[in-house]
Amino acid sequence: MAYWPRYANNQTTFNLQPNHLQPSTKPPSTFNQTTFNLQPNHLQPSSKPPSTFKQTTFNLQPKNLQPNHLQPNYQKTFNQTTKPPSTFRQTTFNLIMTHILHIDASPRGDRSISRQLSNRFIQTWKSFYPDDTVSYRDLGHNPVPHVDEKWIAAAFCPPEKRTPELVEAIKLSDTLVDELLAADRYVFGIPMYNLNVPSTFKAYIDQIVRVNRTFTFDQTGKYHGLVPQGKKMLIFTARGGSFSPGTPSADYDYQEPFLRAIFGVLGITDITFIHAEKLDLGEESRQQSLANARAELEKAVGTW
């Protein structure tokens, strides 16, 4: 499985063997394939580097080797020294540091399948991207309150006109919204309860779906998300039955459509689901479904 460097702010230096800086095959019309030998201790600072170098192949768009094209928001994204040492050429890449919001919604502890999968993904992700940061919220064990009359009054009151009482009523919601907006990506573990999400996660949804904070709408009634574009979401679900397309219960899946719709309102449309299904349909079906979900999880680490 290949895990690709990501370009952004934190600068990391690799030592590259010059003889591997040439294309290894004839490039297609837009890409040239180049193979580098990278020191693993620069890719994985926490692990001990082996005695040899790790060979990694990248497909690079030639135009992207120019400054300001790998990531438009950054001034300098690819720097190369002009005088390499006698054996190695030193090249500097800027690697992306991503902030992930990780949420679990199951009231179960270690027995929770959705919790197991979301945690396994985060642990695996961090082993490959140790500089990434994670904020964690456990809604299953520390649920947020449902909205009440004071909350509604505060949410629809201009901030400058809120009384101290209304400021306090909306304080947690503001924290949750800030947390959502600060994240680059989202990893959620959500079991299916009665064909949809648990009430703990619905309470969270009600706290973060805020007009003029996470969405707005125009005179035609069309929604416009206020969450910045480009964010990704990965949701692990656990289900007793099978709700995949083509199954008898497919039409009863209100969980995935609801989550796609509500986060779409906020502007998050790049959503990937990994379902652990058939958990109550016999041990063989259960184990096969868990194996499939874990395989999808491992694949997602390299492609998400």
Side-chain angles (χ1 to χ4, degrees):
M1 186 183 301
Y3 300 96
W4 309 106
R6 296 164 296 159
Y7 297 94
N9 276 334
N10 63 314
Q11 196 173 76
T12 302
T13 299
F14 300 93
N15 289 320
L16 308 180
Q17 288 182 310
N19 62 322
H20 286 287
L21 295 177
Q22 301 302 318
S24 57
T25 61
K26 290 184 178 181
S29 58
T30 55
F31 292 93
N32 67 299
Q33 190 176 73
T34 306
T35 300
F36 301 98
N37 284 333
L38 306 182
Q39 284 181 306
N41 61 317
H42 287 294
L43 292 175
Q44 292 294 324
S46 59
S47 60
K48 292 184 178 180
S51 58
T52 59
F53 291 93
K54 178 181 178 182
Q55 192 177 77
T56 305
T57 300
F58 302 95
N59 286 324
L60 305 177
Q61 285 181 305
K63 66 177 181 179
N64 282 350
L65 294 180
Q66 303 301 320
N68 302 327
H69 283 285
L70 290 171
Q71 289 288 336
N73 294 329
Y74 303 111
Q75 290 293 320
K76 211 168 186 180
T77 56
F78 187 90
N79 301 315
Q80 181 175 306
T81 59
T82 56
K83 293 182 179 181
S86 58
T87 307
F88 294 97
R89 174 164 44 171
Q90 190 176 71
T91 303
T92 300
F93 296 86
N94 294 316
L95 302 182
I96 287 176
M97 284 193 300
T98 299
H99 181 63
I100 298 174
L101 175 59
H102 175 201
I103 292 179
D104 283 319
S106 175
R108 287 180 171 179
D110 294 340
R111 295 190 305 122
S112 165
I113 298 300
S114 62
R115 189 182 291 271
Q116 290 175 23
L117 292 172
S118 72
N119 279 273
R120 180 169 178 162
F121 178 85
I122 291 293
Q123 291 170 7
T124 306
W125 182 272
K126 286 286 288 180
S127 71
F128 284 97
Y129 305 112
D131 292 331
D132 285 359
T133 55
V134 179
S135 294
Y136 180 63
R137 188 168 288 277
D138 189 342
L139 298 177
H141 293 160
N142 300 286
V144 298
H146 293 280
V147 302
D148 56 18
E149 186 173 1
K150 290 180 182 178
W151 186 100
I152 295 171
F156 291 93
C157 178
E160 66 276 8
K161 294 184 178 180
R162 289 175 188 157
T163 65
E165 185 179 34
L166 293 184
V167 170
E168 184 62 29
I170 205 73
K171 183 178 180 180
L172 175 59
S173 177
D174 283 337
T175 298
L176 296 175
V177 169
D178 291 342
E179 195 174 73
L180 181 81
L181 296 175
D184 302 302
R185 300 191 181 194
Y186 312 94
V187 176
F188 295 164
I190 309 174
M192 175 183 274
Y193 281 10
N194 298 322
L195 310 179
N196 209 316
V197 301
S199 63
T200 51
F201 197 80
K202 180 57 169 63
Y204 171 78
I205 290 291
D206 292 341
Q207 292 280 356
I208 63 169
V209 178
R210 293 263 305 275
V211 66
N212 296 327
R213 286 232 53 196
T214 53
F215 81 98
T216 186
F217 53 88
D218 58 31
Q219 292 182 344
T220 69
K222 182 179 179 180
Y223 294 115
H224 300 278
L226 298 181
V227 175
Q229 294 182 351
K231 306 201 178 209
K232 294 184 177 183
M233 182 175 288
L234 178 61
I235 299 178
F236 295 94
T237 73
R239 302 161 162 202
S242 178
F243 300 87
S244 301
T247 62
S249 298
D251 291 341
Y252 293 97
D253 180 5
Y254 294 97
Q255 184 187 43
E256 180 174 336
F258 166 69
L259 291 170
R260 286 192 183 278
I262 197 64
F263 282 109
V265 168
L266 307 188
I268 304 171
T269 57
D270 189 341
I271 305 177
T272 300
F273 282 85
I274 295 180
H275 300 298
E277 298 193 312
K278 304 180 181 179
L279 300 179
D280 295 334
L281 301 183
E283 189 61 23
E284 183 177 352
S285 294
R286 175 187 176 88
Q287 293 305 320
Q288 183 61 56
S289 179
L290 289 174
N292 292 342
R294 290 171 186 139
E296 289 186 60
L297 181 155
E298 297 296 332
K299 182 179 178 180
V301 174
T303 59
W304 187 53

